């Protein structure tokens, strides 16, 4: 399937794997790319040399395009930005800040720059900075979220910018993918569904928690601090919300979540760790390979479109 995004990135399918912190390593990213989408290594707060090592591992697995997600609030952001430029990865997605100061360096290295945005204003700003595309991410997604839903955000961003728009947040199957394209998106970014990919190295307990999730199991903490995060409810989220109701300060709340994502992803403590996942977790029922996931997404979208054509 050809779209502006598949042409821009040189990929077969308009499916982008989200660069999830502690989840999206070289193994996952490379296998998504091998399957015809494009995978992204999540740099998060990792040091630059870890990112370089992951890039080298990914290149041993695939010769297809892959990228790195750069978290701009990371204390290592400058060094990571330099490494991805030196390594000339195919693309960079960015979050938690403005990548303008790295734009020239990345562009000179032939890297496609695709910031994640949660508002029309930020999308316009990124276009002016020279972004090749933007990911419009709705609040249905896992992890740090904005305030608008995917349904409302994507068409407004599509109307506001001339660069291609990738839809993210609440997309977990072919139906959601078809809906994103109807809203004007040129591709979808998917995170939660890839957590349960067989090639994903997260702890099995984390995968099982996502697979067992119901539609009501996703909730948001951190609204009182101005940094809302969506994850699956557990003992930690209940304690966090109780502290928020009591008026706990930022430092006390931050202490509760310190290292909590690693605790869930690496150690498998899904009771006291942060199990980041989007609202579509309830749709996910089994582990599959990256190739099976992408094929199911594409087949599902085609079936929906054919059904709609037949009804009109």
């Amino acid at each position: 399937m050809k779209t502006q995004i598949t042409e821009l990135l040189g990929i077969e399918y308009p499916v982008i794997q989200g660069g999830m912190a502690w989840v999206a390593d070289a193994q996952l990213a490379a296998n998504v790319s091998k399957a015809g989408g494009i995978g992204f290594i999540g740099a998060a707060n990792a040091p630059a040399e870890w990112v370089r090592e992951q890039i080298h591992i990914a290149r041993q697995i695939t010769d297809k395009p892959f990228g790195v997600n750069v978290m701009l609030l990371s204390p290592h952001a400058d060094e990571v930005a330099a490494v991805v430029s030196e390594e000339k990865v195919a693309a960079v997605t960015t979050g938690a800040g403005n990548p303008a100061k790295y734009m020239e360096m990345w562009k000179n290295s032939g890297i496609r720059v695709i910031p994640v945005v949660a508002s029309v204003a930020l999308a316009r700003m990124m276009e002016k900075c020279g972004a090749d595309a933007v990911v419009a991410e709705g609040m249905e997604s896992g992890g740090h979220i904005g305030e608008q839903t995917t349904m409302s955000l994507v068409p407004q961003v599509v109307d506001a910018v001339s660069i291609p728009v990738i839809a993210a947040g609440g997309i977990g199957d072919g139906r959601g993918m078809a809906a994103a394209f109807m809203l004007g998106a040129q591709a979808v970014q998917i995170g939660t569904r890839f957590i349960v990919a067989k090639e994903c190295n997260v702890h099995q307990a984390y995968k099982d928690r996502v697979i067992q999730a119901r539609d009501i199991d996703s909730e948001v903490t951190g609204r009182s601090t101005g940094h809302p995060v969506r994850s699956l409810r557990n003992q930690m989220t209940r304690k966090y919300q109780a502290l928020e109701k009591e008026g706990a300060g930022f430092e006390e709340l931050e202490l509760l979540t310190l290292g909590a994502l690693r605790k869930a992803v690496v150690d498998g403590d899904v009771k006291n760790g942060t199990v980041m996942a989007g609202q579509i977790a309830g749709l996910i029922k089994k582990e599959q390979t990256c190739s099976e996931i992408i094929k199911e997404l594409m087949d599902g979208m085609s079936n929906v479109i054919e059904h709609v054509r037949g009804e009109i």
Side-chain angles (χ1 to χ4, degrees):
M1 177 182 181
K2 287 187 177 181
T3 71
Q4 287 176 283
I5 291 296
T6 61
E7 295 290 308
L8 180 72
L9 299 175
I11 58 177
E12 189 175 357
Y13 304 116
V15 177
I16 292 163
Q17 164 249 309
M20 300 165 282
W22 286 102
V23 173
D25 62 4
Q27 183 77 18
L28 178 60
N31 278 285
V32 170
S33 292
K34 272 181 75 174
I38 183 168
F40 281 81
I41 297 163
N45 282 317
E49 285 313 305
W50 180 88
V51 176
R52 193 189 299 276
E53 179 186 10
Q54 292 296 304
I55 292 169
H56 292 173
I57 293 170
R59 284 186 173 139
Q60 291 170 9
I61 299 170
T62 184
D63 59 358
K64 299 286 184 67
F66 65 87
V68 173
N69 174 264
V70 179
M71 206 272 281
L72 298 168
L73 283 181
S74 166
H76 307 292
D78 287 349
E79 294 88 350
V80 169
V83 163
V84 298
S85 180
E86 291 163 14
E87 294 291 340
K88 293 180 168 59
V89 297
V92 166
T93 55
T94 64
N98 187 337
K101 69 175 182 175
Y102 307 124
M103 198 71 76
E104 185 179 357
M105 175 175 65
W106 287 339
K107 292 281 196 164
N108 288 341
S109 294
I111 297 170
R112 302 300 190 183
V113 184
I114 308 173
V116 178
V117 302
S119 70
V120 166
L122 189 54
R124 283 178 171 148
M125 187 188 302
M126 293 301 96
E127 182 177 33
K128 286 179 183 176
C129 287
D132 295 285
V134 291
V135 177
E137 185 175 65
M139 52 91 72
E140 299 95 324
S141 62
H144 296 273
I145 61 170
E147 291 298 326
Q148 288 198 66
T149 65
T150 303
M151 179 70 80
S152 65
L153 178 64
V154 171
Q156 292 184 72
V157 172
V158 168
D159 289 348
V161 299
S162 59
I163 55 177
V165 176
I166 298 157
I171 302 166
D173 63 9
R175 293 170 295 181
M177 193 171 174
F181 274 82
M182 293 303 102
L183 296 174
Q186 294 288 318
V188 295
Q189 177 176 284
I190 290 175
T192 305
R193 180 84 186 263
F194 282 118
I195 291 172
V196 303
K198 289 182 178 178
E199 299 92 339
C200 184
N201 288 322
V202 304
H203 197 284
Q204 189 61 44
Y206 198 114
K207 291 186 180 184
D208 291 343
R209 180 66 186 94
V210 173
I211 290 169
Q212 293 159 7
R214 301 167 298 165
D215 62 321
I216 59 171
D217 282 353
S218 161
E219 63 183 2
V220 179
T221 55
R223 290 196 188 279
S224 65
T225 69
H227 301 284
V229 173
R230 184 177 300 286
S231 55
L232 298 180
R233 67 178 79 245
N234 60 9
Q235 287 178 197
M236 193 280 290
T237 62
R238 284 191 285 273
K239 186 174 180 181
Y240 193 109
Q241 289 184 329
L243 286 171
E244 281 192 293
K245 287 177 182 176
E246 292 167 10
F250 177 78
E251 289 184 4
E252 185 179 357
L253 293 167
E254 195 73 356
L255 192 62
L256 180 64
T257 59
L258 196 63
L261 182 58
R262 185 188 188 282
K263 194 181 290 184
V265 173
V266 179
D267 302 336
D269 185 352
V270 295
K271 292 183 178 179
N272 302 296
T274 300
V275 185
M276 289 187 182
Q279 286 185 320
I280 57 93
L283 282 174
I284 300 170
K285 305 301 180 188
K286 59 186 176 182
E287 280 189 69
Q288 294 173 291
T289 65
C290 292
S291 182
E292 288 169 341
I293 289 170
I294 291 177
K295 184 179 187 304
E296 198 170 278
L297 285 164
M298 296 305 300
D299 288 349
M301 183 176 73
S302 295
N303 291 340
V304 168
I305 292 171
E306 287 302 313
H307 174 73
V308 171
R309 281 175 178 163
E311 290 294 314
I312 294 173

